[in-house]
Amino acid sequence: MANDNDRDIDRAWDLMKKIGFAMLVTRDGDKLRARPMSAHLDREANTIFFLTDARRHKDEEIARNPSINLSFADAGSQKYVSLTGTAVVSNDRAKIKELF
């Protein structure tokens, strides 16, 4: 039988998949920067992927401070998920091709 924590984790993954977009929050010095991103979830790897233009500032911000927040919102049904974690910038061409 699954415990409450397992059910909460399942529910969070289900909501993130349903919503599909997250506000990715990074740090730029003492400022917080948020931008909407399309989320590609891989629950088995416990990972959320985002495709981004490498010429944008978010990659530099993550390199300097990999602590991030992801906020998913379905305002119509009043369902929200907020996660904190550590981001890694990757240029894995095979993974990019798979997600794109």
Side-chain angles (χ1 to χ4, degrees), residues 40-54:
H40 302 271
L41 284 66
D42 184 345
R43 183 164 182 186
E44 289 182 20
N46 201 34
T47 303
I48 302 170
F49 295 96
F50 299 94
L51 294 174
T52 183
D53 185 338

Side-chain angles (χ1 to χ4, degrees), residues 25-88:
V25 182
T26 58
R27 271 200 184 275
D28 184 11
D30 61 348
K31 297 176 185 165
L32 297 175
R33 303 229 185 243
R35 70 272 292 163
M37 302 287 292
S38 179
H40 302 271
L41 284 66
D42 184 345
R43 183 164 182 186
E44 289 182 20
N46 201 34
T47 303
I48 302 170
F49 295 96
F50 299 94
L51 294 174
T52 183
D53 185 338
R55 298 170 293 182
R56 300 295 178 207
H57 297 290
K58 64 187 124 339
D59 289 3
E60 297 165 6
E61 293 164 7
I62 289 169
R64 284 191 303 269
N65 186 343
S67 296
I68 56 107
N69 173 267
L70 298 177
S71 299
F72 294 80
D74 180 355
S77 64
Q78 295 291 301
K79 306 241 188 258
Y80 308 93
V81 178
S82 179
L83 306 168
T84 56
T86 304
V88 175

